[in-house]
Amino acid sequence: MLGTDAGHPHHWKKKMARRRQIYEGKAKILYEGPEPGTLVQYFKDDATAFNNKKKGVIAGKGVINNRISEYLMTRLSDIGVPTHFVRRLNMREQLVREVEIIPVEVVVRNIVAGSLAVRLGMDEGTPLPRSIVEYYYKSPDADKPLVTEEHITAFGWASPQDLDDIVPMALRVNDFLSGLFLGIGLRLVDVRLEFGRLWEDEHMRIVLADEISPDNCRLWDIKTNEKMDKDRFRQGLGNVEEAYQEVARRLGILPESGPRDLPGPKAVQ
Ligand code: UDP
């Protein structure tokens, strides 16, 4: 295909006319959406860990995470959690509302794992006495430092009122997802959430943004304690694709044809 179709000027022009790239992250690309105030989130297969020090590809991850995130955002919306999600467009893309992303990652933890195990010198798998909320500043110049509400409000990354919306929402999302995953034999160890400001006329509200997938939560099998998330990639445990597929399968959303990257239907309006 390269050198023939792909290089054809009409093909190129058509593609370029379709949408303008706004931002490229590690696992996703954001394009201008079909209407003002919307964006298209494109899910890549690229995976990074340890703040970009480990890079790789998880075949079919983008297709699966697009589905998983669609499913979870929809279920959350069903219980009244406001989200930026509008609808899935095709295998790798979803339409979302354009929001002003709050530069703070909110992590809710139920069980000790990852950086918390290291920081506190505790064993992975130790249950926490209650769910714990942590914040990491998405600094352009540092490796996402752990910060407190004091830093967040002092530097104006979010206001105290924003946090009054964010914290209960994060805990509610965590409770709901914990139950949902428990029902399919998975323990939600921790989850990382992002929030954004959605402007409607003069009014602003905080909504859940980004994605929820095995890329940004930890899921352990109830019976075997097997890791079913990005830790398989981080720790080189193998069967990464299979773990993501298994999560989708248990949620009942594995595409019929498997995670092959078919062109799929074009953005149906
Ligand atoms: N996480 C994430 N992006 C990051 C760092 C962490 O999505 O840049 C998620 C991670 O997958 C886990 C949770 O946040 O579900 C808590 O991660 P932790 O602080 O333990 O850091 P890690 O061990 O992943 O570096």
Side-chain angles (χ1 to χ4, degrees), residues 105 107 109 113-115 136 144 190 192 215-218 234:
E105 294 190 347
V107 171
R109 301 179 180 275
S115 71
Y136 294 85
K144 285 197 203 145
D190 52 38
R192 187 228 55 191
D215 266 10
N216 49 41
C217 64
R218 287 195 169 93
R234 291 191 188 95

Side-chain angles (χ1 to χ4, degrees), residues 26 50-51 105-109 113-119 124 134 136 144 189-193 210 213-219 229-231 234:
K26 292 166 202 158
F50 313 116
N51 284 300
E105 294 190 347
V106 179
V107 171
V108 187
R109 301 179 180 275
S115 71
L116 184 67
V118 175
R119 197 180 321 121
E124 266 214 333
E134 292 179 347
Y136 294 85
K144 285 197 203 145
V189 171
D190 52 38
V191 57
R192 187 228 55 191
L193 305 171
D210 193 49
S213 72
D215 266 10
N216 49 41
C217 64
R218 287 195 169 93
L219 298 167
D229 54 58
K230 207 168 98 175
D231 272 351
R234 291 191 188 95

Side-chain angles (χ1 to χ4, degrees), residues 3 19 65 82 115-116 120 142 153 158 163-164 183 200 209 218 232 241 249 254 256:
R19 51 198 191 171
N65 281 358
S115 71
L116 184 67
L120 300 187
T153 53
L163 290 175
D164 283 347
E200 286 163 323
R218 287 195 169 93
R232 299 204 73 82
E241 291 88 353
R249 194 192 63 76
L254 191 66
E256 294 279 305

